[in-house]
Amino acid sequence: MFSVPTRTQYGIRALVHLARAGEAADPAIADLATSAAIAKAESISPKYLEGIMTQLKSKGIVIAERGKGGGYRLARDASAIRMIDIVEALEGEVRPVDCVENSDCCVQGNACMPRKFWIGLKGAIDDYLASKTLKDVIEA
Amino acid sequence: MFSVPTRTQYGIRALVHLARAGEAADPAIADLATSAAIAKAESISPKYLEGIMTQLKSKGIVIAERGKGGGYRLARDASAIRMIDIVEALEGEVRPVDCVENSDCCVQGNACMPRKFWIGLKGAIDDYLASKTLKDVIEA
DNA sequence: CTATATTCCTACTATCTCGATAGGAATACG
DNA sequence: CGTATTCCTATCGAGATAGTAGGAATATAG
């Protein structure tokens, strides 16, 4: 249960790759990597990863440099990228049931008795994801 | 993200229904309900709920009485049924990524740097689900 | 200006899961 | 025996997911 799609797993691994590249002494030297290079290093389908990287870029997690010699780098320090930012960029907000935000669904039977329970679950997940940064992950 | 299948939502609503039926003064009087009756009260597809109830029975969450006059009742008091018992009965163990239990997957690139992170997420979810009982839900 | 390497965009396909349905067998009651 | 119920198995359609394909846009190097 609660399995995380490969899309998200791949995205995180790609960001781990970038974060580790950026750990070098001189920043801005080795922190640029192409999608194809990451895909190869991580054994991820290159074309599939391309789409994931584009999405991470559109959400402001990474910065893309187009054209020859281009690639991706983290948009900010790994310690400033929370895991919840990544997850929401790739999958949208954590929402166990539709009823969490939309109370219109509370019409039939006991449909909404468990609503507070689900909201609590969302809180537990969100709190954990917000408490970890990309830096925490690469130091684990 | 982390959306809960209707199967689980339906199962919980059915159990809420049974738990509320069992709240009556005289236990064992009104605590028996047929799958069809629950389905009607909760606006759930009857045939679909049938399968869910059978599964909850096989996992020991409810007790079934077959034949005419039969139905389902909770196998134990609502306060002794943890939400994690229900979720695991219907969906199996919480496992964000396969890598959580199986460390064999840590072979390529940074595939397993996030492993501790995922294990931590599993822990956060499990802790929450184990902390709530069916009784907590019907009293919310 | 041209060749090349890269991101970016759109569309497609195969596979799987999920929700739901159908029909009927097994069981128990009166 | 007739009826009401759980229980079993098989199937189906819709949607999501993972991956593929082709090429347009963009930047660099020579």
Side-chain angles (χ1 to χ4, degrees):
Chain A
M1 193 208 182
F2 289 122
S3 70
V4 174
T6 64
R7 179 173 199 81
T8 302
Q9 298 183 46
Y10 290 168
I12 290 174
R13 279 165 59 191
L15 293 171
V16 165
H17 185 102
L18 288 176
R20 286 165 65 92
E23 273 181 328
D26 186 1
I29 187 100
D31 58 350
L32 195 69
T34 68
S35 176
I38 299 171
K40 187 170 186 185
E42 299 289 333
S43 302
I44 298 170
S45 161
K47 274 297 208 180
Y48 192 38
L49 184 61
E50 263 187 22
I52 296 170
M53 296 310 295
T54 302
Q55 191 173 359
L56 287 171
K57 183 235 167 187
S58 77
K59 302 289 179 170
I61 309 286
V62 299
I63 290 172
E65 299 195 358
R66 302 184 66 170
K68 191 170 182 179
Y72 294 95
R73 78 180 75 243
L74 295 184
R76 50 192 190 273
D77 194 82
S79 63
I81 299 178
R82 300 176 305 162
M83 296 309 287
I84 196 172
D85 299 328
I86 302 171
V87 166
E88 289 188 347
L90 293 172
E91 296 190 59
E93 194 177 1
V94 171
R95 186 150 48 100
V97 296
D98 291 342
C99 200
V100 163
E101 291 159 352
N102 171 19
S103 61
D104 296 352
C105 52
C106 306
V107 280
Q108 296 284 5
N110 292 305
C112 267
M113 291 232 74
R115 184 157 180 258
K116 271 196 177 176
F117 167 71
W118 294 124
I119 291 175
L121 176 60
K122 170 180 166 56
I125 296 173
D126 279 348
D127 287 350
Y128 177 79
L129 293 179
S131 75
K132 302 290 179 188
T133 69
L134 189 55
K135 189 173 187 198
D136 295 328
V137 169
I138 68 175
E139 285 173 352
Chain B
M1 191 203 183
F2 289 121
S3 69
V4 174
T6 63
R7 178 175 201 79
T8 302
Q9 298 182 45
Y10 291 168
I12 290 174
R13 279 166 59 191
L15 293 171
V16 165
H17 185 102
L18 288 177
R20 286 166 64 92
E23 273 181 329
D26 187 0
I29 186 97
D31 58 352
L32 195 69
T34 68
S35 176
I38 299 172
K40 185 169 186 184
E42 298 289 333
S43 302
I44 298 171
S45 160
K47 274 296 207 180
Y48 191 39
L49 185 60
E50 263 188 22
I52 296 170
M53 296 310 294
T54 302
Q55 191 172 0
L56 287 171
K57 181 235 169 189
S58 76
K59 303 289 179 168
I61 310 286
V62 299
I63 290 172
E65 300 195 357
R66 301 184 67 172
K68 190 168 181 177
Y72 294 96
R73 79 179 76 243
L74 295 184
R76 50 189 189 275
D77 193 83
S79 62
I81 300 178
R82 298 176 306 162
M83 297 310 286
I84 196 172
D85 299 328
I86 303 171
V87 166
E88 288 188 349
L90 293 172
E91 295 188 61
E93 196 178 358
V94 171
R95 187 150 47 100
V97 296
D98 291 341
C99 201
V100 163
E101 290 160 352
N102 171 19
S103 61
D104 296 352
C105 53
C106 305
V107 280
Q108 297 282 6
N110 292 305
C112 267
M113 291 231 74
R115 184 156 180 259
K116 271 194 176 174
F117 166 71
W118 294 124
I119 291 175
L121 176 59
K122 170 181 166 55
I125 296 173
D126 279 348
D127 286 351
Y128 178 77
L129 294 180
S131 75
K132 302 290 180 189
T133 69
L134 189 55
K135 188 171 187 201
D136 294 328
V137 169
I138 67 175
E139 285 174 350

